[in-house]
Amino acid sequence: MILFKKADELQKYLIEIKASGQKTGFVPTMGALHQGHLSLIENSKKLAEITVCSIFVNPTQFNDPKDFEQYPVTIEQDIRLVAQAGCDLLFLPSVQEIYPSGLQKQVHYDLGRLETLLEGKYRPGHFQGVCQVMHRLLDIVNPGILFMGQKDYQQCMVVQQLITLEGRHIRLVTSPTLRETSGLAMSSRNRRLSETAKENATAVYHALQFMKQHLQPGPVKALIDEAGVILHQSGFEKTDYISICHAQTLEPVNEWDGHIPLIALIAAFIENIRLIDNLPLT
Ligand code: AMP
């Protein structure tokens, strides 16, 4: 595995790779890697000849400065894991390297309703920050295929929108959420939970499963209410949202007609850590 810290060096290297006709897969991450991240690398190794992974904790996508300060950093372990997973090129840029002219957002990306729903609503500016960093990373790496996780379902939709808006010829491939055996979705933020909270946090998955198992045509409010009770009883202090939405638009659905594709999404706090998860219901 070759490690790059400078954007222009990586870019130069990739131009030669592409000239030789090899397809590149790109896995952007914020580090504190777990098996979920590694599954994206595995996927890339299956579909592309060269796999590029980046580790960059992007300051512009954190709407809460404390969350940014406390974001786990385990860089030495990450480098080992990425190398073991068979990644070819690792990009480890500094903030200066990604944002040479400063952190301020110069472009506004038109994300339409996506920016007013769910994560868009509860994390103002978050998706603009995601677009800002993805724009820069995609300019540098210019991959044939981009690999992202369905754990961040709305983020996948936002990045697809960015690719379309910018007319990039990049295929987005999304991978299923990897979970602990308990059902808890793997997440870098889980590292900040106590052992007790980690056990209690499985309530998010139980609540999602409850909604899936009890879904019937008609109003869905009772399902959402019961999911709220499950979270509350397990020690979740606050819920940003528990929502049942159209799986392609993320518009909330109050009454299911028995046909449209649905997804349930949750964002909730335990020990002051904000966890998100989702489950397709249909
Ligand atoms: P992050 O480092 O949290 O920005 O995540 C980097 C990529 O890994 C994103 O595309 C995430 O959706 C994906 N990812 C995070 N957690 C998981 C998981 N449990 N299973 C699969 N992919 C994941």
Side-chain angles (χ1 to χ4, degrees):
M1 185 173 79
I2 312 176
L3 201 155
F4 291 87
K5 291 192 171 174
K6 299 283 175 210
D8 56 353
E9 287 172 17
L10 174 62
Q11 237 165 345
K12 214 170 115 204
Y13 189 87
L14 283 168
I15 286 169
E16 283 169 28
I17 296 265
K18 281 169 209 155
S20 72
Q22 298 188 84
K23 184 175 272 180
T24 45
F26 179 38
V27 180
T29 80
M30 297 209 297
L33 301 182
H34 49 69
Q35 204 54 46
H37 295 112
L38 301 181
S39 74
L40 301 181
I41 294 179
E42 277 162 31
N43 223 0
S44 172
K45 285 187 65 67
K46 280 186 211 141
L47 297 178
E49 278 123 0
I50 297 288
T51 293
V52 188
C53 175
S54 65
I55 299 179
F56 177 66
V57 186
N58 174 34
T60 71
Q61 72 185 70
F62 285 83
N63 52 311
D64 174 359
K66 258 207 203 113
D67 188 25
F68 175 58
E69 281 160 29
Q70 294 173 351
Y71 200 82
V73 176
T74 58
I75 197 66
E76 266 145 43
Q77 189 189 331
D78 289 353
I79 295 173
R80 235 186 357 258
L81 286 174
V82 168
Q84 276 166 9
C87 178
D88 300 293
L89 312 178
L90 175 60
F91 185 37
L92 279 181
S94 63
V95 172
Q96 167 66 22
E97 200 63 26
I98 292 294
Y99 300 120
S101 19
L103 299 183
Q104 65 286 357
K105 296 176 179 124
Q106 278 141 359
V107 178
H108 180 84
Y109 297 92
D110 182 7
L111 302 173
R113 290 276 293 153
L114 273 181
E115 204 160 11
T116 65
L117 299 164
L118 306 167
E119 294 297 283
K121 175 174 171 190
Y122 285 93
R123 299 188 68 187
H126 168 62
F127 285 136
Q128 290 299 320
V130 168
C131 286
Q132 188 185 12
V133 75
M134 286 306 295
H135 166 83
R136 175 80 172 123
L137 289 171
L138 294 179
D139 268 359
I140 297 167
V141 179
N142 190 21
I145 316 179
L146 173 64
F147 294 88
M148 302 189 83
Q150 289 158 19
K151 157 97 174 13
D152 299 283
Y153 190 86
Q154 192 173 7
Q155 175 172 269
C156 292
M157 292 174 71
V158 163
V159 171
Q160 181 57 67
Q161 170 90 349
L162 174 74
I163 291 171
T164 307
L165 279 175
E166 297 192 327
R168 293 181 189 267
H169 298 286
I170 296 175
R171 180 173 149 218
L172 174 63
V173 171
T174 67
S175 300
T177 303
L178 253 75
R179 300 178 178 282
E180 307 288 352
T181 40
S182 64
L184 177 65
M186 290 181 185
S187 164
S188 305
R189 287 189 173 85
N190 293 351
R191 290 174 189 263
R192 292 175 51 205
L193 297 174
S194 69
E195 284 309 311
T196 313
K198 245 180 236 166
E199 275 170 37
N200 290 338
T202 60
V204 175
Y205 186 55
H206 296 149
L208 290 167
Q209 275 189 317
F210 176 88
M211 291 190 272
K212 186 177 167 103
Q213 280 157 8
H214 293 84
L215 178 70
Q216 284 176 359
V220 299
K221 185 175 179 304
L223 292 183
I224 292 174
D225 290 347
E226 185 53 35
V229 171
I230 293 171
L231 292 185
H232 184 70
Q233 283 176 345
S234 303
F236 276 83
E237 302 115 25
K238 192 175 114 180
T239 304
D240 272 352
Y241 57 80
I242 301 172
S243 199
I244 293 181
C245 301
H246 190 299
Q248 276 138 27
T249 62
L250 288 186
E251 292 293 341
V253 169
N254 298 321
E255 257 194 71
W256 187 45
D257 63 2
H259 298 290
I260 61 163
L262 294 181
I263 182 162
L265 306 102
I266 291 179
F269 291 81
I270 190 161
E271 288 184 343
N272 275 322
I273 311 292
R274 187 173 185 276
L275 301 180
I276 61 168
D277 199 355
N278 65 75
L279 192 68
L281 300 185
T282 50

